[in-house]
Structure formats: C-alpha cells, structure tokens
Amino acid sequence: NAGVTQTPKFRVLKTGQSMTLLCAQDMNHEYMYWYRQDPGMGLRLIHYSVGEGTTAKGEVPDGYNVSRLKKQNFLLGLESAAPSQTSVYFCASSPSTPNSYNEQFFGPGTRLTVL
Amino acid sequence: GENVEQHPSTLSVQEGDSAVIKCTYSDSASNYFPWYKQELGKRPQLIIDIRSNVGEKKDQRIAVTLNKTAKHFSLHITETQPEDSAVYFCAPYHPRTYKYIFGTGTRLKVLA
C-alpha cells in the first residue's frame, strides 16, 4: 500500500500560470481533503469531497478548484496563480464509517512557490 | 462557524518533565478528537485520538483526556524526550460537515 501520494513534490510558478496538484489514495477511502499550510501556521481546509463526483468548499476556497472524477483521485487546480498561494499543500483521506468519525491519512505534501 | 483554540502556542520543558496542551472547541456535535505531531518539513502524524464516548486514553507516555461538558480535550506527554520536540495540532471532527478543524498549533521544545 502506497497510502496517500501527491504529485508533484515541489513546483515553482510565475504569477498567472496555472497548474494541477494530484492526490491519489489506494485505501478505498470515501473522504478526501485538500489543506494548505503557511509557515508557522496550522492547516486550513481548501476543499473536500465525501465521495466520487462530489466536492465542497472549505475555509479558504477562493482561487482554487477541485475535481473528484475517480474515487481514488482528488485534483486541486490553480487557474491563475498568485504569490499569496505560496504554501505547502497537503492532501488527506479518511474512510467513512457508520459512526462518522475517522482517522485521516496525510500525503507527503507539495511545496508550491509562486513568484 | 466552528472555532478551535489551542494553548499554549509555545511550550518549553526540561527533559523528563511533563507537557500539557489544551484544545477548546465550540461545536458540541464534535465526536472525534485527534492529536497530530508535525516535525519540520514533514506531514502531520496522528499520535493519539479519542472518541466522544471515552473520557481518557493512554498510549505509553502519551495520553488524551476529554471533557465534553466543557468542550475541551488535552494532550499529556510524560517523561518528555528531545525527540518529542515538534509542533502539535488538535483537529476535532465535525460529523455534520465531515470536516476536521485544525488548531493553530503548539510548538513544544524539550531541553536536554
């Protein structure tokens, strides 16, 4: 089991460029999440998905779009990158259970710099 | 909306002493309470969690206590070691929204 993987690990963009971050999990988890972590701060939720074909906004969704076309993949897109989006991006997944509380499994992160 | 506060923001202890970090949440429907450890440049790592129907859980030197009435839970680390130095986050889970809301973190430094 690879767990949760993220592609790429590092990326440098110029302002206005676009890119897509890929998150993949092989644990058959229903729920997937995208967070950003700025230096010295906690994780803030960007978007999340509770199943294939569904997405929802988190705390800081502006400037980002997501898609969950396949259960195992969750894509995060930046249409026009801005320096304020310089951050470390973490993807996480968790299973659904009848009682609805679940351990999250995190990917290794993507370090994005926007110049 | 959901509000999560974590205290203290920084904590320095001597090796061998105990450390306690407290997390206060606002949503009474929260039912899962994890603590994560994050080392520099690494992903958050789950170190202990507790469900809403349990008051305390212990795993070797680490314990978590939950007070649902007061809406707070605490991380207790005993016999601290230099390798415990890291940033610790709480992230109570909200079943109605499927979201985990992370606290702002506590930087723990264990002095040898």
Side-chain angles (χ1 to χ4, degrees):
Chain A
N1 273 0
V4 180
T5 58
Q6 291 182 232
T7 308
K9 290 184 170 52
F10 303 94
R11 186 73 185 269
V12 179
L13 290 178
K14 294 181 180 178
T15 297
Q17 288 184 319
S18 63
M19 78 163 294
T20 300
L21 283 68
L22 170 63
C23 176
Q25 51 94 5
D26 61 2
M27 297 172 283
N28 201 35
H29 286 171
E30 288 293 332
Y31 304 158
M32 296 187 74
Y33 304 81
W34 275 108
Y35 297 92
R36 63 176 287 173
Q37 185 176 34
D38 299 326
M41 296 184 66
L43 280 74
R44 292 185 292 170
L45 182 63
I46 305 171
H47 286 282
Y48 63 106
S49 168
V50 298
E52 181 178 315
T54 74
T55 63
K57 294 181 179 179
E59 302 170 79
V60 289
D62 294 343
Y64 305 95
N65 56 74
V66 287
S67 63
R68 183 108 181 261
L69 299 179
K70 293 183 179 181
K71 186 177 183 179
Q72 63 268 34
N73 295 337
F74 195 28
L75 279 65
L76 178 71
L78 286 73
E79 290 187 350
S80 180
S84 60
Q85 294 178 303
T86 294
S87 192
V88 178
Y89 292 84
F90 287 103
C91 176
S93 70
S94 62
S96 62
T97 66
N99 290 323
S100 298
Y101 40 68
N102 318 297
E103 177 182 350
Q104 279 194 311
F105 294 79
F106 281 87
T110 294
R111 187 173 298 273
L112 176 66
T113 301
V114 183
L115 302 177
Chain B
E2 304 96 340
N3 188 39
V4 175
E5 293 187 0
Q6 194 175 327
H7 296 283
S9 57
T10 60
L11 180 59
S12 292
V13 299
Q14 291 292 328
E15 183 178 358
D17 286 351
S18 296
V20 181
I21 304 170
K22 184 176 178 179
C23 184
T24 303
Y25 59 96
S26 60
D27 189 344
S28 57
S30 298
N31 63 359
Y32 172 64
F33 307 92
W35 282 99
Y36 292 88
K37 176 183 180 182
Q38 188 178 31
E39 297 174 337
L40 191 62
K42 301 285 183 65
R43 75 190 83 182
Q45 176 188 4
L46 179 71
I47 55 171
I48 197 165
D49 57 13
I50 194 167
R51 318 295 187 189
S52 58
N53 57 348
V54 176
E56 182 174 355
K57 181 179 178 180
K58 191 173 181 181
D59 182 3
Q60 300 183 331
R61 298 186 297 109
I62 295 173
V64 55
T65 57
L66 172 64
N67 184 327
K68 284 215 75 178
T69 303
K71 290 188 280 188
H72 66 72
F73 62 111
S74 297
L75 175 68
H76 304 255
I77 306 174
T78 59
E79 301 172 25
T80 53
Q81 302 168 2
E83 51 265 38
D84 294 328
S85 295
V87 180
Y88 292 82
F89 293 99
C90 63
Y93 178 69
H94 303 264
R96 288 178 294 194
T97 61
Y98 308 99
K99 293 193 285 188
Y100 303 76
I101 303 299
F102 278 76
T104 50
T106 297
R107 184 173 300 278
L108 174 65
K109 184 178 286 189
V110 180
L111 306 171

